[in-house]
Amino acid sequence: VWDKTLPHGGMTGVISGSHKRNMRTIIDAESWGGISNLRLLIQQSLFGGKAEDPIGSLQDEPVMHAGDMLLMNTYLTHSSSWNFGSSLRIGMHCDFRYKKPMEASDLQDMARRQQGQ
């Protein structure tokens, strides 16, 4: 962020743990031809849970200062949120691209490693 951001100050809303569910859904759907982003979005919107303000869940000090960043897993369900604060929040989005595309077999291998198999 470029300036101080307090809880409910317009930071990206996230559904905690959704990256694990989304990855499992994508891997499971591989056997029957895959799943569209739209279907995944609808499933998460209806059944994924309530989006949380990540700043509000910080333990020590619920604030992001200029220069802080919020890093998210690619599969984490997230969206913009309203700024209920009295000041404008200035931030930016940095796009990171992997050198190698993540194929279904790569995701399945990663899931097996994470589960200790």
Side-chain angles (χ1 to χ4, degrees):
V1 294
W2 291 95
D3 56 352
K4 184 176 178 179
T5 306
L6 298 169
H8 310 293
M11 186 52 75
T12 301
V14 299
I15 298 178
S16 295
S18 61
H19 60 294
K20 296 175 185 175
R21 287 189 304 275
N22 290 342
M23 182 180 264
R24 279 194 296 269
T25 300
I26 291 168
I27 290 171
D28 292 345
E30 188 64 28
S31 62
W32 45 270
I35 187 169
S36 71
N37 285 338
L38 177 60
R39 183 171 177 174
L40 196 59
L41 175 65
I42 291 170
Q43 285 179 346
Q44 283 296 306
S45 297
L46 296 177
F47 310 111
K50 182 180 177 186
E52 301 171 356
D53 183 341
I55 298 174
S57 63
L58 293 175
Q59 298 292 326
D60 297 333
E61 182 184 16
V63 63
M64 287 187 77
H65 298 280
D68 289 349
M69 7 168 73
L70 173 66
L71 298 176
M72 295 182 289
N73 183 290
T74 306
Y75 297 100
L76 185 71
T77 301
H78 61 281
S79 69
S80 59
S81 63
W82 290 101
N83 182 354
F84 294 104
S86 59
S87 62
L88 177 67
R89 181 189 68 85
I90 302 173
M92 63 186 257
H93 173 154
C94 295
D95 190 19
F96 174 78
R97 299 197 182 254
Y98 295 97
K99 291 182 179 179
K100 178 182 171 192
M102 295 294 278
E103 301 294 332
S105 60
D106 296 329
L107 293 174
Q108 290 169 337
D109 289 341
M110 183 169 41
R112 281 191 284 276
R113 286 194 309 272
Q114 288 175 346
Q115 295 171 357
Q117 298 177 354

